[in-house]
Amino acid sequence: MDQHPVLVMAASAGSGKTTAAVQAAQELAGPVAWVSFAGAAAGTEPGAGRSGAGWATMTRLLKAAVEPHVPDVATALTEALARGFSASEVGTLLAGMLVGAELVLVLDRVETIGAVAGAEELLSALVGGLPEGPRLVLISRADLPRGLRGLGDVHRVAFLEDGDLAFDMAEATEALRVSGRSDDPGRLVEVMGGWVSGVLYDWWGADTSASVAQHDILAAELLAQLTPVEAELLVRTSLLDDGVTAEQANALGLASPDRTMAALRGRRLPLTWSPDGRRMAALPRFRHHLQREFARLDENTLRALRGAYASLLQDKGRHEDAVAELLMSGDTDSARDAAERALPEVLGRLDLATAESWLDRMRPASRTLTPSLAAAGLRVAFGLEQCWRGVQLADHHGRAWWSRLAERPGGAEDLVLLVWCFWHAGRIEGAREILRVMPPGRPRDIAEALLALADNSPPQLAPDLLDHVVGPLEAMVMRISYRAGQLRGLRDGSSGAWRSVAGTPWAIAALRAEGRISQAEEAYAAVGDGPRPVWLAAIEAPELMADLGRRDEAWASLLAGRERIASTGSHVYEILSLLLEAKLALRLDRDVPRSGRALAEAERRGCARYAFTAELARVWRGLELLLAGHDHEAVPHLTAAVCAMFTSGRRLELPTAAVYLSEALWRTGDEDGADAAADLALEVATAQGPRNLLLQALEDVPSVAVRQADAEPTHSSRWHELVSALSAARPVAGCAVPRLTLEDIGPVRLVADGREVHPRLAKSVELLAYLLSRPAASARRNALLQALFPGKSDATARSYLRQAVYRLREVLPEGLSLLQEDDVYRLTPASAVVSASGTVQRLLAEAARQDGEHRWNTLQRALAIAERGSYFDSLSTDWLDTRRAELEAALLQARVDAATMALRLGRVGEARRLARAVLDRDPYREKAWRLALYAAEAAGSDDELLDLYRGYLRVMKELGVPPSMDLRRLVDRLRR
C-alpha cells in the first residue's frame, strides 16, 4: 500500500484480508474510508439494465464514506447524478476530487458488484483516474468481475492472494499464543496451508456447540463462495463418516464427483486430504454445519441419499449403521433385512436400548417374524422388563409361531422368556400352555421354577444351576434364586454379560439381605444416574433407602417407581409395589391404616394368584394385626405364610414370617409353638444368609429375641448376639461419595473434596465433630454453647460460636452448607459429610446385621480405623470425654464380637489375640474370659487354659464375687 496506489486483495473467505487491510491502514498517516458493497446489489433499482442507473446505490455509499474526509465530494456527486452523468464519468469525477487527499479508500466485497448495473464502469474509471497520494484497496473473496479494467499496470497495482496472506510458522505461533490456544502451530500450518481461519478457528473441536454461531457464519460464507455443484457435493456427502472419495460420492448419485473434488482441492476450506488427494474429510465443526444443511434437503432427496449410504455401509459390513440410515429414510423393510445381520452383535454387547429402538420403529410387522427378530424381541422384553412386548409378539403371530420355537436351536431359551412375559402379565394359564411344548432340559426346569412362584408346584432350581447357564437365563435364575433365599450364588462365581447387567438389581438385593448395606449402596450408586432397571428403581431402591435410614427417599423411590412399573405391563411388579408400600408403612411409620389400604389394593389386583405374593401379603397382614393388638387374628395369616414358604423352599422372607409368628403364638399362649417358630427363623437365617432381614423383623418384635436368649443355658448363644445387636441398633447411614471427611480418630484432619483444609479456629473443627455426633448433623444453640464453651458467659459463648461457625463455613466445599434456622444449626446435605468415628459406628451397626466372613471382615475394617488412635486424643471436655468413652466401649464390644466370629471361622490365633486385647483393657468381662478359654482349648494348650482360669479367679476374688459355675463347668469340660 505504501508503494502502489491500488491494492487488490482477492483471496478466500477467512484468509485474513480484512484484518491485514486494517493493520496496514493503521500504519499509514492518512485517514481511512471503508465501504462494503455486500448490500449494493440489493439496492439496485428495479428494472435497471447494464446502461441504467443501478450504480447509483454504490455512488451513494462512496459519497457517504468519502465526505468526512473530502467535504466537497457530496455536492459534486449529487449534482453529477442530477445532471445525468454516466457511471464512468462519476468514477472519473470522484478520482479527480481525491487529488491531494492522503486517504485510504477500502472497497470490500467487490465480488458482489457484478450484479450492479454500471458498477464495473464506475470502478474502472476510479482505478484508472486515481491520482498520486490516495490509496485504493479492493477486497474480494473471489476473482474480480471480468469487466473491471485498469488493473493491468504493474507499476500502479499490486495483488495479494491466498498464498501471500497465509500464516507462516512464526505468525501462526504468535496468533495461537494471543488467542490462548495450545495447538501445534506446525501441524496447523502444514494441514491448512497457513490459511488464517484454518489456523485460528478450532475446526477440529469435538464440542460442536462451542462458538457455534461464529463457526456457522464463517462456514456459511465459505459455502457461498463455492459453485452450486461444489457446495452440493460437500453438503450431500456430509453424512459419510469416514471421509469422501469420488467413488462414494458417485454412489450417492453425484455427477462427475472427481472433477468437483479436484476443484475443491484448490479451495481454502476446513478440509483435510489424503496424501494422494483422493479422499477428503470435512473437519468436525465444518461437517457439523454441512450436516445441518443436509437436514434441510427435501424429503425425497434425503430418503434417496440415506438409502444409497446404507448400501455403502452394508458393503463394508457395517450393518448396524445401515439399519439406522434405513430407518431414518423410512425404508423399514430394508431395515429389517439389515437388522437380521446386526442384531446378534447388538444383543451380544447388551445394547438393549438400540435393539428396542429398532424393533419399535420396524413395527407393525408386515411380514412373518423371523427367528432372529423374535429372539431379539424377547430379549429386549426381558432385559428391559417390558413383558408386554413378548405378549404382543405371541398374540400377533399366534400359537403356531411359538410352538415352532421349540424346534429350532436356541428356541427353548426363547420360550422361557416368553413364559416369563406371560407370567408377569398375569396370563399364567398361557404360560403353562407354552411350558407344555418345551422339551426337557435346563430351560424347561427354569420355566417350571418360575411358574412354581405362582402355584406352589414342587420344582426348585438346583443351587449350582447358576454356574451352568449363560445369556438371559443367568439373570432369570438370579431372580428365582433370590426369592428362594439362595443369596450366596447371586454374588459369587463368574459373571456373564447378562448376569452383570440384567442381574445387577438382584445382586444388590442379595447384599442388602445379607446386611452388607454399604456395599449394596456402592453397587447401587455404580449403576449411574441414568435410567435404572425397573426392579432396581421401583422395588429395591425403596428397600435400600429404608435400610439406610432415608425415610423420605424410600417413599419417593416407591412412588416414582410406580411410573416405571406402568410401562412394563407387569401385574407382578404392581402387586409387589403395593406390598412394599404396606411394609414401609408398618416399618417406617407404624401406619396401620395405610398398610391396610395397600394390602386391600394388592388383593384387588390379584396377589392371591401368585403363591409368593400371597405369602408376602399374609406376612404384612400378620404384622399389621400384631401392631393393632389383634393377636389371635394374626396367627392364621402368619402360620399359612410360614408353612407355604417352608414347603415351597421360598426362604428369603421365611425368617421374617417366623419371627412374627413366634410373637403371635406367644401372645396367644402357645409357648412351644413360639419357640419352634423362633428357632426356625434363626436356623433359616443362619443357613441361607439373610441375617439383616431377621434382625429387621426382631426390631419390630424384639421380645422374641429376649425370650429366646433367656432360655439359653449360656450367654454365648446366637440369640444373645442378636439381643446385643438389637440393644445397640442404629440405622446404617451410608455415604457413597463424601464431600467432607473429618478424621477424628488419631491425628485430627479435615479433608474437603480430597484436599486437606485448615479452619482458622480449632473450635470450628470441634463444632463440626459435635454436629456429626448428633442425629441428622444438627444441634440447638444451647447444646452447642454448653458442649463447646463450658464456663463461658452467655454473651462470650455466643460470640465464640458465631466465629466458629463463620470459620467453618469458609472451608466447606461448594454445595455443602452450615445453616442456621432459628436456634438450630444444621449441616446439609448431612449425607455428604462423614467422620472416622461415624464410619466406625456405621460399620459396627452393619456388622450386627451380618454373619460369617462378612461380619468378620466388617468388624476388622472398623477395628483397623480404631487402631489409628483415640478420639480427639489431644482435647478433653465433658462432651468429648463422653463421646470418647462411648466409642471405646463400642470398640471393646466389637473386639469381643470379632473374637467370637474368629472362633467360629477357625481363626484361633485371631481369637486368642482379640480376647487378650479385651482382657488387657477390661479384665472384668466374663465373655472375654470365656472366649480366651475356648481359644486356648482350640489351640490345644492346657497350660494356657489353666493359666487363664487362674487369672479369672484372681479377678473374681478382687471383686469379692464367686466365680461363675458356668465357666468352672466349661474348664472341666474342656480339660476332659
Side-chain angles (χ1 to χ4, degrees), residues 2 40 743 868 881 899:
D2 186 50
E743 299 289 352
R868 300 174 188 170
D881 293 342

Side-chain angles (χ1 to χ4, degrees), residues 9 17 21 34 106-111 137-140:
M9 302 174 73
K17 303 181 297 296
W34 200 288
V106 182
L107 306 182
D108 199 359
R109 298 299 302 274
V110 176
E111 75 276 5
V137 180
L138 305 181
I139 300 179
S140 175

Side-chain angles (χ1 to χ4, degrees), residues 43-232:
T44 300
E45 288 79 352
R50 295 295 299 173
S51 59
W55 45 271
T57 298
M58 198 168 74
T59 304
R60 286 192 287 271
L61 292 173
L62 290 166
K63 178 178 68 173
V66 174
E67 182 181 11
H69 311 290
V70 184
D72 296 338
V73 76
T75 302
L77 291 179
T78 300
E79 290 180 357
L81 289 173
R83 294 167 58 183
F85 278 29
S86 66
S88 60
E89 289 173 331
V90 169
T92 302
L93 175 62
L94 177 58
M97 298 196 70
L98 295 178
V99 173
E102 296 294 328
L103 178 67
V104 177
L105 178 57
V106 182
L107 306 182
D108 199 359
R109 298 299 302 274
V110 176
E111 75 276 5
T112 65
I113 69 170
V116 180
E120 294 173 4
E121 290 83 352
L122 190 154
L123 279 192
S124 297
L126 178 60
V127 170
L130 191 70
E132 291 293 330
R135 293 289 185 269
L136 180 63
V137 180
L138 305 181
I139 300 179
S140 175
R141 61 179 54 183
D143 293 336
L144 294 176
R146 294 183 178 276
L148 193 56
R149 301 178 300 277
L151 300 178
D153 188 346
V154 295
H155 300 293
R156 299 184 69 251
V157 182
F159 285 82
L160 290 177
E161 299 177 339
D162 281 300
D164 304 298
L165 294 167
F167 280 155
D168 58 22
M169 175 68 87
E171 291 167 337
T173 301
E174 176 62 12
L176 291 171
R177 184 191 66 78
V178 171
S179 63
R181 287 179 53 200
S182 58
D183 303 71
D184 178 10
R187 170 176 167 270
L188 293 179
V189 169
E190 178 182 359
V191 174
M192 305 309 301
W195 178 44
V196 171
S197 289
V199 172
L200 288 180
Y201 282 74
D202 182 18
W203 295 104
W204 282 265
D207 180 8
T208 54
S209 64
S211 304
V212 65
Q214 189 178 30
H215 281 84
D216 269 0
I217 290 172
L218 182 54
E221 292 179 350
L222 294 174
L223 282 181
Q225 76 181 15
L226 303 178
T227 67
V229 172
E230 292 168 346
E232 180 186 45

Side-chain angles (χ1 to χ4, degrees), residues 8 21 85 144 160 170 211 291 302 352 423 449 453 461 484 599 613 692 715 738 758 800 802 895:
V8 177
F85 278 29
L144 294 176
L160 290 177
S211 304
Q291 288 175 321
L302 286 173
L352 299 175
W423 179 82
L453 292 173
L461 295 178
L599 290 173
T613 56
N692 181 42
H715 290 277
H758 303 277
Y800 282 163
R802 284 194 296 271
R895 291 184 174 90

Side-chain angles (χ1 to χ4, degrees), residues 628-792:
H630 304 305
D631 305 325
H632 286 278
E633 296 176 40
V635 171
H637 287 283
L638 294 169
T639 301
V642 168
C643 291
M645 290 176 178
F646 185 81
T647 57
S648 66
R650 287 187 285 273
R651 304 300 175 89
L652 179 68
E653 295 285 1
L654 180 54
T656 302
V659 165
Y660 296 158
L661 177 59
S662 177
E663 179 68 12
L665 292 173
W666 177 269
R667 292 184 187 182
T668 55
D670 186 354
E671 296 183 13
D672 291 340
D675 290 342
D679 290 340
L680 176 63
L682 180 61
E683 176 189 347
V684 172
T686 302
Q688 303 290 112
R691 178 179 165 115
N692 181 42
L693 304 187
L694 172 65
L695 198 62
Q696 287 177 340
L698 291 172
E699 287 171 343
D700 294 328
V701 284
S703 56
V704 172
V706 174
R707 284 194 299 269
Q708 296 306 113
D710 286 344
E712 292 290 336
T714 71
H715 290 277
S716 58
S717 72
R718 298 265 183 161
W719 284 112
H720 282 90
E721 287 180 14
L722 290 169
V723 170
S724 176
L726 288 171
S727 65
R730 56 182 290 161
V732 184
C735 183
V737 185
R739 300 286 312 282
L740 186 69
T741 302
L742 174 62
E743 299 289 352
D744 52 6
I745 293 180
V748 177
R749 297 170 60 245
L750 187 59
V751 179
D753 287 339
R755 178 177 57 86
E756 186 171 354
V757 295
H758 303 277
R760 300 186 188 184
L761 286 180
K763 213 63 171 176
S764 297
V765 179
E766 189 180 346
L767 165 64
L768 176 63
Y770 186 85
L771 290 172
L772 292 179
S773 71
R774 304 291 99 184
S778 65
R780 293 191 174 276
R781 182 191 294 113
N782 286 340
L784 287 169
L785 295 175
Q786 293 172 13
L788 302 180
F789 309 102
K792 301 288 184 183

